[in-house]
Amino acid sequence: MTDLPVWAALLTGFLVLLGAGFTLIGTIGLLRLPSFYERMHAPTLGSTWGTAGILLGSIVFFSVMQSRPILHEVLIAAFVTVTTPVTLMLLARAALYRDRTEGSTAVPRRFSSHREDSA
């Protein structure tokens, strides 16, 4: 650890704390927002941006320590960036289908079908 330059330690620490902060904000949004439809967005952004910050910090740290670019984390970032929004869309569609078939009033107005809007 003593071989790590100060600039790399500060940059790594900043990026990891930034990523952890984004993740914390997403978690707080998940806990504080009132409805399912409002709660979906915050953790998705929190996990994507949080993962990005932590992975960038990891790239900086291991690249400096091994004196060559380390890019394994790029694969992790790609998988998280692709799978998180897809999971969100699937959860939203399942919830919308469930709420519409049950006739729930919890469906947000902008998500209602066109037939209901024109009536």
Side-chain angles (χ1 to χ4, degrees):
M1 286 299 207
T2 59
D3 296 336
L4 189 65
V6 174
W7 67 267
L10 290 174
L11 183 60
T12 300
F14 173 74
L15 289 170
V16 169
L17 286 175
L18 184 69
F22 279 126
T23 304
L24 179 64
I25 291 169
T27 303
I28 292 169
L30 175 67
L31 295 174
R32 301 271 319 201
L33 293 172
S35 74
F36 172 78
Y37 296 103
E38 293 170 343
R39 274 187 237 134
M40 286 189 313
H41 194 63
T44 303
L45 285 176
S47 67
T48 303
W49 285 102
T51 301
I54 293 169
L55 290 175
L56 285 173
S58 177
I59 288 171
V60 169
F61 178 81
F62 287 110
S63 293
V64 170
M65 289 300 289
Q66 295 185 8
S67 301
R68 63 184 175 93
I70 304 296
L71 300 176
H72 298 105
E73 288 86 353
V74 173
L75 286 173
I76 297 169
F79 291 136
V80 168
T81 303
V82 169
T83 58
T84 302
V86 170
T87 304
L88 170 72
M89 287 187 300
L90 291 173
L91 283 171
R93 287 179 183 239
L96 282 171
Y97 178 78
R98 180 199 63 210
D99 287 346
R100 285 180 180 160
T101 56
E102 291 177 355
S104 174
T105 59
V107 177
R109 180 80 175 134
R110 64 182 178 187
F111 288 124
S112 60
S113 66
H114 295 293
R115 286 179 278 162
E116 294 171 343
D117 288 339
S118 61

